[in-house]
Amino acid sequence: MLNFTELDEIIEIIKNFHDLDISGYSKASLKRRITRIMDINKLDLVGLKSNLINQEGFLNYFIPEMTVNVTEMFRDPEFYIALKTKLFPYLETYPHIKIWSAGCSTGEEVYSLAILLKESKLLSRSFIYGTDINHLVIEKAKQGIYSLTKLKEYSENFIKTKAEHSLSEYYTAMYDAATIQNDFKKHLLFSIHNLITDGVFNEFQVITCRNVLIYFDITLQEKVFDLFYDSLCKLGFLCLGSKESLINYKRAHLFKLIDKKNNIYQKIA
């Protein structure tokens, strides 16, 4: 396994040769992921360095493999109940609702939000942006195709959100997989966005970024929180993961805690 000195060398190579700074990622997480890449490709440290410097296209493989992509539809059902009961009544007052799902991975959260909005009769005036640094997962998200085995698990989550309908009403089965209905896709846009280097691209009523920031160090978290603050309209909502919070953020006083258990905040100034 890599030691931390060797890890710093890899980080420096990526920064110098590819103009990509990943130094703000959790060192422990980076170490695990890069060691896994080396094991899969039977590379030692010299081989990995050589590939990063000399092999065209290797970084396009390396970055998606380095990022963590764990997601599911209606993950943490209580979070979605909180959205319906605490956020949606407020969102009903807007003629247009813009939502950003940052670090959306393969799109399950984005489709969950779209289905929840449809159930609450808000989808017709909503648009959801799903972004991720990983171009491979973005392509999967655009397809909206998931295995029936996974969808059975997702259906159990959906039932726990006190849904009025069955999840099966929102997808079409095809052999051992299913595709989310096309009607949803006109309200969605999936694209590449790097939380570290890219800036504000719209103004949102809601931003969700759940279980992404746990892989960033404090300095990088601060930078991303600044991006979210600048991207939210006044009285907009920020939704974080169960192990994330604004407690150490310099602008935390500009947010009101709406739901402590589900880490939902509202920008008040």
Side-chain angles (χ1 to χ4, degrees), residues 192-211:
I192 303 294
H193 184 275
N194 187 334
L195 290 172
I196 304 170
T197 58
D198 296 338
V200 175
F201 63 93
N202 214 317
E203 184 178 69
F204 299 96
Q205 279 74 46
V206 180
I207 296 175
T208 69
C209 185
R210 303 174 66 228
N211 307 306

Side-chain angles (χ1 to χ4, degrees), residues 48-76:
L48 179 61
K49 287 180 178 179
S50 176
N51 282 6
L52 285 168
I53 295 170
N54 301 310
Q55 186 174 318
E56 185 177 351
F58 184 77
L59 191 75
N60 291 333
Y61 157 78
F62 181 85
I63 293 300
E65 287 295 319
M66 188 196 71
T67 54
V68 179
N69 297 291
V70 179
T71 186
E72 60 187 59
M73 291 185 75
F74 298 100
R75 183 181 185 180
D76 303 323

Side-chain angles (χ1 to χ4, degrees), residues 6-165:
E6 293 167 338
L7 178 61
D8 287 338
E9 292 175 17
I10 297 298
I11 291 170
E12 199 64 23
I13 286 172
I14 293 171
K15 184 176 181 180
N16 291 337
F17 284 87
H18 300 286
D19 197 28
L20 177 62
D21 187 358
I22 61 170
S23 61
Y25 282 79
S26 159
K27 293 293 176 66
S29 177
L30 278 179
K31 188 178 174 184
R32 286 194 303 271
R33 303 293 292 186
I34 294 175
T35 298
R36 176 179 173 274
I37 292 170
M38 293 169 69
D39 290 343
I40 290 172
N41 293 277
K42 297 180 171 57
L43 294 171
D44 58 14
L45 182 63
V46 174
L48 179 61
K49 287 180 178 179
S50 176
N51 282 6
L52 285 168
I53 295 170
N54 301 310
Q55 186 174 318
E56 185 177 351
F58 184 77
L59 191 75
N60 291 333
Y61 157 78
F62 181 85
I63 293 300
E65 287 295 319
M66 188 196 71
T67 54
V68 179
N69 297 291
V70 179
T71 186
E72 60 187 59
M73 291 185 75
F74 298 100
R75 183 181 185 180
D76 303 323
E78 287 188 4
F79 166 71
Y80 289 92
I81 293 173
L83 290 184
K84 285 197 294 185
T85 58
K86 297 182 179 180
L87 270 64
F88 283 12
Y90 183 86
L91 296 181
E92 286 174 357
T93 64
Y94 283 93
H96 303 289
I97 303 164
K98 286 177 288 186
I99 298 174
W100 178 15
S101 175
C104 71
S105 188
T106 45
E108 282 91 333
E109 180 178 86
V110 173
Y111 290 113
S112 300
L113 291 168
I115 290 169
L116 203 72
L117 288 162
K118 185 174 180 65
E119 290 242 321
S120 299
K121 298 179 174 57
L122 290 174
L123 184 62
S124 61
R125 48 184 155 128
S126 300
F127 200 86
I128 308 171
Y129 297 79
T131 67
D132 202 283
I133 190 176
N134 185 332
H135 66 95
L136 296 178
V137 299
I138 285 294
E139 289 307 312
K140 289 182 180 179
K142 289 178 180 177
Q143 294 171 2
I145 299 173
Y146 306 104
S147 73
L148 284 177
T149 302
K150 284 188 174 181
L151 281 165
K152 288 177 183 176
E153 296 173 9
Y154 300 162
S155 292
E156 294 177 9
N157 289 346
F158 188 50
I159 290 169
K160 293 175 184 176
T161 68
K162 303 178 181 178
E164 295 180 7
H165 301 90

